[in-house]
Amino acid sequence: TACSSKYVLSQMHPMWQGPLVVPGGDRQSPIDIAVRKTVFDSELKPLVATYDPQTCQQIWNNGYSFLVEYDDTTDKNTLKGGPLKDKFRLCQFHFHWGESNDWGSEHTVDRRLFPAELHLVHWNSDRYTLFEEAVMEENGLAVIGVFLKVGKRHEGLQKLVDALPAIRHKDSIVEFNRFDPGCLLPANIDDYWTYHGSLTTPPLTESVSWIVMKQHIEVSHDQLAVFRSLLFTSAEEVQKSMVNNFRVQQPLRGRTVRSSFT
Ligand SMILES: Cc1cc(C)cc(S(N)(=O)=O)c1
Ligand SMILES: [Zn+2]
């Protein structure tokens, strides 16, 4: 699909901690969300996410994370409202996680780390026709971030967990249908923080309206352990477990993080 964003992903390599700060980058992600410094914005609207599970196409290991990709050639999976002026199309979702439950998320809340973080990547289909165009533009992308905590088993996630052994190695891909990404959103999506930032993976373009959910979701220890059974490496290489695939927090550089709640 248009959003397979292979070119975006191809610049990545597994143990990428990458450049700490992009030269001239003053809108980099992820960041620490210092709650006391966030600013309530009463103009922020409720988020409206509409997803069609039938448009789920494949799941693949890109050597950095695993991506679940959707058909983004029509407006079947849309995100609007919240801080967004335009309509955005879901192209893929993926996760970041640690080797232990003590860390793994990209964003932090008052320096608190979570064991993992989900990213639902959308591109601005009101202004652009392809993901590849949008990814280079200031208002091109909208990414929803959801923190994961270890607790009870997430029933909706299990179908995805069961598919992971088939994509253990880098560049492996399997058909994956009828998965509702909405089942991974927390019950309350009205409470979120939002700021302007970047991709957290190369090319780190500063084209993202970040929408980070206040409420986390819970997954079981065993489900997260299957994430960690994935490999950064291809079948021919020496095996490296796919863990710690997160970027370190970047300087806020004077940006304001707005909250949709008081
Ligand atoms: C387009 C895109 C691809 C990937 C692998 C990761 C991101 S992120 N972490 O900035 O949400 C975005
Ligand atoms: Zn991500």
Side-chain angles (χ1 to χ4, degrees):
T1 61
C3 78
S4 59
S5 59
K6 283 188 178 56
Y7 90 99
V8 171
L9 313 177
S10 60
Q11 286 141 43
M12 257 170 262
H13 56 83
M15 302 308 289
W16 178 77
Q17 283 304 318
L20 285 180
V21 174
V22 175
D26 54 7
R27 284 184 30 179
Q28 288 292 293
S29 294
I31 59 168
D32 175 54
I33 297 168
V35 175
R36 284 178 307 287
K37 294 185 186 146
T38 61
V39 177
F40 170 65
D41 180 349
S42 58
E43 310 270 303
L44 286 171
K45 311 256 179 310
L47 264 182
V48 182
T50 312
Y51 299 136
D52 174 1
Q54 301 294 343
T55 58
C56 189
Q57 290 185 321
Q58 63 267 346
I59 184 169
W60 68 291
N61 177 332
N62 70 358
Y64 184 80
S65 180
F66 63 88
L67 283 79
V68 178
E69 293 190 319
Y70 286 77
D71 168 16
D72 63 352
T73 56
T74 70
D75 265 343
K76 285 256 180 72
N77 300 304
T78 57
L79 178 67
K80 53 187 200 284
L84 307 173
K85 308 252 171 308
D86 296 324
K87 183 173 53 189
F88 288 69
R89 248 182 227 172
L90 175 73
C91 61
Q92 52 100 333
F93 69 81
H94 62 273
F95 297 81
H96 303 262
W97 59 91
E99 64 194 291
S100 92
N101 291 339
D102 298 334
W103 65 82
S105 63
E106 298 212 303
H107 291 88
T108 51
V109 179
D110 290 339
R111 294 286 166 202
R112 174 185 178 191
L113 288 155
F114 292 82
E117 185 172 333
L118 159 66
H119 289 159
L120 295 132
V121 180
H122 309 74
W123 56 274
N124 189 327
S125 58
D126 276 346
R127 292 179 187 234
Y128 309 107
T129 50
L130 278 180
F131 166 82
E132 276 75 6
E133 290 167 34
V135 75
M136 306 311 283
E137 302 299 327
E138 179 150 350
N139 52 22
L141 301 184
V143 182
I144 296 177
V146 181
F147 294 117
L148 275 64
K149 274 182 75 175
V150 176
K152 64 181 189 315
R153 184 179 134 111
H154 192 298
E155 292 309 327
L157 185 72
Q158 194 54 38
K159 175 182 159 107
L160 186 155
V161 167
D162 290 339
L164 295 183
I167 57 162
R168 189 156 185 254
H169 291 101
K170 175 179 175 189
D171 293 333
S172 47
I173 183 166
V174 291
E175 189 177 355
F176 193 64
N177 299 127
R178 286 180 305 288
F179 186 83
D180 174 14
C183 85
L184 298 177
L185 292 175
N188 170 12
I189 62 168
D190 290 340
D191 291 357
Y192 57 82
W193 296 287
T194 183
Y195 76 98
H196 287 291
S198 72
L199 299 186
T200 66
T201 58
L204 301 171
T205 40
E206 296 179 342
S207 54
V208 181
S209 294
W210 278 95
I211 300 165
V212 179
M213 291 294 149
K214 179 189 177 198
Q215 192 174 56
H216 62 269
I217 59 170
E218 275 191 27
V219 302
S220 70
H221 179 86
D222 289 355
Q223 288 178 315
L224 211 41
V226 180
F227 283 25
R228 301 188 183 111
S229 74
L230 292 171
L231 300 175
F232 281 130
T233 45
S234 62
E236 300 73 44
E237 297 171 283
V238 173
Q239 293 193 358
K240 281 202 192 95
S241 293
M242 183 180 277
V243 292
N244 303 330
N245 55 358
F246 54 85
R247 189 189 194 196
V248 294
Q249 289 80 39
Q250 301 296 308
L252 194 55
R253 289 270 187 280
R255 287 173 284 178
T256 299
V257 178
R258 292 180 289 162
S259 68
S260 68
F261 62 97
T262 52

